[in-house]
């Protein structure tokens, strides 16, 4: 057998392994390492990958929990390089004081920042306690283009929201619908601090469900990312949109399950996403560097 043929069979086998994960069980609960984790390590540079990014929220404590998650994010980067982090609010505890930025952002994420990884932030409820979050909006490391903004990566468009009670809701919602209607991106991902669907301390937000879910359905938003609840939770597709909470980025609280919950845990963690033309592969990753959840989002939201 010539080398080209052998190489083709090896690559085909890896592709088949990943496909098999989504056809059957994702996780071998009796083994030390998840099957998914092994597949990711073996296939860390797939040829058709459009974008890899991670998300984390409620990070800004400067305490050991944040540093543990940050180390896991850096370890994941070494195996699966990415250059984009969605930072979904409560970036600086307890009151959004920008003078703490070294302790709660620049130091814990220094290895990633040195490698050119960019963080895109939104404002959480703790962030607006000082000067309504203005200094965070202006901080270069958060790459915010305003209190709400949009940016593109490849064929993925991100929409950052200010979900706080004092947000400029009238103009923000007009802006969001306009931007969604104009978007030609295959993938539309919205992120904000507060949950829409959640099974934690705060639970689902009935007003947000009424406001956002019709817009998401109308314009084909496939994914909404948020924090505020200090746990990890991934929903099934709800009218074409998956809702993912990644708020256990420094501390954790208990979480239950709802009828629409695919996976939930209170463990310290972050989420990682591999974006392809036809799907997003979602991973929940803990501070032990293990993949504990694996999900799939189709380009049509199902």
């Amino acid at each position: 057998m010539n080398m080209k043929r052998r190489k083709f069979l090896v690559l085909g086998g890896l592709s088949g392994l990943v496909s098999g994960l989504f056809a059957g069980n994702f996780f071998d609960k009796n083994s030390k390492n998840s099957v998914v984790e092994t597949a990711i390590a073996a296939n860390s540079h797939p040829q058709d990958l459009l974008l890899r990014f991670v998300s984390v929220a409620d990070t800004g404590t400067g305490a050991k929990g944040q540093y543990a998650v940050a180390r896991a994010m850096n370890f994941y980067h070494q195996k699966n390089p990415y250059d984009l982090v969605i930072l979904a609010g409560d970036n600086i505890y307890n009151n959004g004081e920008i003078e703490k930025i070294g302790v709660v952002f620049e130091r814990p994420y220094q290895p990633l920042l040195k490698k050119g990884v960019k963080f895109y932030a939104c404002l959480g409820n703790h962030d607006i306690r000082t000067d309504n979050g203005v200094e965070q909006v202006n901080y270069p490391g958060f790459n915010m283009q305003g209190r709400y903004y949009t940016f593109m990566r490849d064929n993925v468009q991100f929409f950052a929201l200010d979900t706080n009670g004092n947000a400029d809701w009238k103009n923000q919602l007009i802006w969001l619908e306009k931007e969604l209607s104009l978007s030609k991106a295959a993938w539309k991902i919205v992120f904000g601090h507060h949950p829409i669907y959640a099974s934690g301390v705060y639970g689902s937000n009935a007003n947000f469900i009424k406001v956002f879910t019709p817009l998401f359905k109308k314009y084909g938003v496939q994914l909404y990312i948020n924090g505020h609840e200090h746990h990890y939770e991934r929903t099934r597709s709800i009218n074409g949109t998956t809702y993912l909470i990644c708020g256990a980025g420094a501390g954790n609280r208990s979480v239950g399950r709802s009828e629409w919950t695919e996976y939930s845990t209170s463990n310290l963690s972050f989420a990682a996403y591999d974006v392809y033309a036809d799907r997003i592969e979602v991973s929940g990753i803990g501070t032990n560097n293990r993949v504990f959840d694996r999900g799939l989002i189709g380009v049509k939201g199902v």
Side-chain angles (χ1 to χ4, degrees):
M1 182 183 294
N2 63 42
M3 289 303 293
K4 287 185 177 180
R5 174 64 175 167
R6 186 177 301 169
K7 183 177 180 182
F8 173 81
L9 289 176
V10 170
L11 291 175
L14 290 176
S15 178
L17 174 60
V18 174
S19 298
L21 292 171
F22 292 101
N25 293 327
F26 299 146
F27 198 70
D28 179 0
K29 294 182 174 65
N30 297 317
S31 68
K32 285 187 175 181
N33 297 307
S34 72
V35 178
V36 173
E37 185 178 15
T38 304
I40 289 174
N43 199 32
S44 59
H45 298 285
Q47 296 299 314
D48 57 345
L49 182 69
L50 298 178
L51 175 68
R52 176 180 290 129
F53 70 98
V54 308
S55 72
V56 68
D58 300 85
T59 55
T61 64
K64 63 180 182 180
Q66 180 184 13
Y67 278 77
V69 175
R71 284 192 296 271
M73 290 168 61
N74 187 52
F75 181 86
Y76 183 76
H77 182 277
Q78 293 170 11
K79 304 291 183 180
N80 304 275
Y82 58 87
D83 64 0
L84 169 62
V85 178
I86 297 300
L87 192 60
D90 279 359
N91 313 309
I92 306 175
Y93 284 104
N94 279 323
N95 300 304
E97 311 96 315
I98 199 67
E99 58 267 24
K100 293 182 178 179
I101 197 67
V103 174
V104 304
F105 179 72
E106 294 171 352
R107 194 176 302 164
Y109 305 117
Q110 184 180 47
L112 294 174
L113 293 168
K114 281 186 173 181
K115 294 169 185 172
V117 176
K118 290 188 178 297
F119 288 68
Y120 288 82
C122 66
L123 295 173
N125 52 295
H126 284 269
D127 300 319
I128 64 171
R129 291 181 178 180
T130 297
D131 196 23
N132 202 24
V134 170
E135 289 179 313
Q136 288 197 43
V137 174
N138 294 331
Y139 172 64
F142 286 165
N143 291 292
M144 298 177 70
Q145 301 158 34
R147 304 184 77 86
Y148 48 91
Y149 61 97
T150 184
F151 65 96
M152 288 283 298
R153 281 294 189 92
D154 296 297
N155 205 14
V156 184
Q157 187 164 0
F158 293 87
F159 305 82
L161 300 179
D162 177 3
T163 58
N164 288 291
N166 68 346
D168 181 6
W169 281 106
K170 180 180 178 181
N171 288 320
Q172 179 173 215
L173 290 174
I174 292 171
W175 168 87
L176 178 61
E177 179 156 22
K178 179 181 178 182
E179 292 296 329
L180 287 173
S181 70
L182 293 173
S183 177
K184 303 299 183 185
W187 293 101
K188 301 178 184 69
I189 299 174
V190 178
F191 66 98
H193 180 63
H194 294 84
I196 298 177
Y197 290 93
S199 304
V201 173
Y202 299 106
S204 299
N205 187 317
N207 288 331
F208 279 10
I209 290 173
K210 291 177 182 177
V211 169
F212 287 115
T213 57
L215 281 177
F216 292 174
K217 182 179 180 181
K218 182 177 180 180
Y219 296 108
V221 173
Q222 296 101 338
L223 176 62
Y224 176 77
I225 299 169
N226 68 275
H228 196 54
E229 296 273 21
H230 293 187
H231 66 253
Y232 172 97
E233 185 172 12
R234 177 175 59 86
T235 75
R236 62 171 173 79
S237 175
I238 302 174
N239 293 322
T241 305
T242 295
Y243 297 82
L244 193 138
I245 298 171
C246 55
N252 53 351
R253 289 193 291 253
S254 61
V255 58
R257 289 182 60 87
S258 302
E259 61 181 357
W260 31 256
T261 304
E262 285 285 354
Y263 195 97
S264 63
T265 180
S266 61
N267 293 345
L268 293 173
S269 56
F270 68 97
Y273 312 81
D274 280 4
V275 184
Y276 298 86
D278 63 341
R279 71 196 185 279
I280 298 178
E281 297 174 5
V282 183
S283 303
I285 302 172
T287 54
N288 60 358
N289 301 315
R290 291 186 59 190
V291 175
F292 58 77
D293 176 44
R294 188 70 167 167
L296 185 67
I297 302 171
V299 72
K300 294 185 179 180
V302 294

